[in-house]
Amino acid sequence: MTDLTIETTRFREWAGGGLGPREGQWECDYSQWPAWHRAVLDWVVGRHPRGWSEAETGHVLYAIARDNDAQYLVREIRKRRPGTLRFLARAALAHGESDARWQLAVELGHLSGDDEAQALLFALSTDRNEYVRRRAIRSLAGLGVRAAEELAWAAWHRDDEDQEWARMSALECLRELESPRFDALLAEALQDTRPFLRQHAERLRAAVAQKSGRSDPAFESEA
């Protein structure tokens, strides 16, 4: 039995030993993270993913998903084995948890000039999970991919229980891409009744005004 299997099994046994449903960042309470990190990274560095079994791929994706607070594993895999990161993203699209998919979307956004990474991000931008879609679109915008503008625009208008957060992210994408649509949506967000979206829009307005060297009328009126 490999260290990867041993350490993953240990975590699963620990996770299954609690009483009642787990909430919040419960994975952080696990005391054997260093050993699990080592086992996963030794496995990733030492073996080409073409030789992995479905179960072994599942172990790595499960570890990434559980590491969603620190995001250490996925970041190290991208640094050490970017090809394996792409492999894992393909696998996660088929059967990975959303907590693995969104982290992979973030790290794929660091692979500039990589056509396969961009293709994977486009696939993740249509994910069934809103947070995965959001992070994929943000990564595409960060890479300067112009198609991210349409994706952000669509996210703004899509009905979703997390639309407040989706709209905040859409504004960031449009701002980063210097989209001509940004000003209209910023004005709409400033009038929105949802407090976090409105506050985010106010911060963006102030940041844009500061960058351009203009005063923000809202702050002038309060002086």
Side-chain angles (χ1 to χ4, degrees), residues 35-222:
W36 199 13
H37 281 159
R38 283 194 302 272
V40 173
L41 293 176
D42 286 349
W43 177 269
V44 168
V45 171
R47 297 167 178 81
H48 195 284
R50 280 198 299 264
W52 298 3
S53 69
E54 184 175 338
E56 289 158 350
T57 302
H59 289 334
V60 176
L61 287 174
Y62 178 77
I64 289 172
R66 301 287 71 76
D67 193 37
N68 64 84
D69 182 63
Q71 300 164 51
Y72 172 75
L73 284 174
V74 72
R75 186 167 57 250
E76 288 299 311
I77 291 170
R78 188 257 302 170
K79 291 177 180 177
R80 303 181 192 194
R81 290 288 188 270
T84 298
L85 184 79
R86 294 190 293 269
F87 167 84
L88 289 167
R90 291 193 298 272
L93 281 163
H95 51 71
E97 297 178 53
S98 60
D99 275 338
R101 295 196 304 277
W102 74 256
Q103 292 182 74
L104 289 160
V106 170
E107 295 305 318
L108 287 168
H110 291 282
L111 303 182
S112 60
D114 188 314
D115 291 342
E116 185 180 359
Q118 288 189 24
L120 289 164
L121 284 169
F122 277 117
L124 289 163
S125 74
T126 63
D127 196 90
R128 60 187 176 276
N129 181 276
E130 188 278 328
Y131 192 58
V132 176
R133 294 195 302 271
R134 190 194 317 169
R135 298 312 301 249
I137 297 169
R138 288 291 295 276
S139 285
L140 286 166
L143 290 169
V145 178
R146 295 308 309 179
E149 180 179 1
E150 290 297 332
L151 293 170
W153 178 261
W156 180 277
H157 293 94
R158 178 172 181 163
D159 288 333
D160 192 285
E161 63 180 10
D162 293 317
Q163 192 183 48
E164 182 174 14
W165 311 104
R167 288 192 167 193
M168 290 161 65
S169 182
L171 284 174
E172 292 284 2
C173 291
L174 294 176
R175 178 194 175 198
E176 189 160 20
L177 292 166
E178 298 182 346
S179 168
R181 296 171 169 175
F182 172 74
D183 288 341
L185 294 190
L186 179 64
E188 186 176 337
L190 287 166
Q191 302 301 317
D192 202 286
T193 58
R194 287 166 287 200
F196 294 119
L197 175 57
R198 190 174 64 253
Q199 292 164 14
H200 187 72
E202 290 168 353
R203 288 193 294 270
L204 281 180
R205 179 178 61 180
V208 169
Q210 183 179 27
K211 183 178 179 180
S212 64
R214 299 194 306 267
S215 297
D216 187 333
F219 291 107
E220 288 183 350
S221 65
E222 293 172 2

Side-chain angles (χ1 to χ4, degrees), residues 23-36:
E23 298 179 354
Q25 299 169 324
W26 60 272
E27 297 100 334
C28 295
D29 294 333
Y30 186 57
S31 63
Q32 299 302 312
W33 268 114
W36 199 13

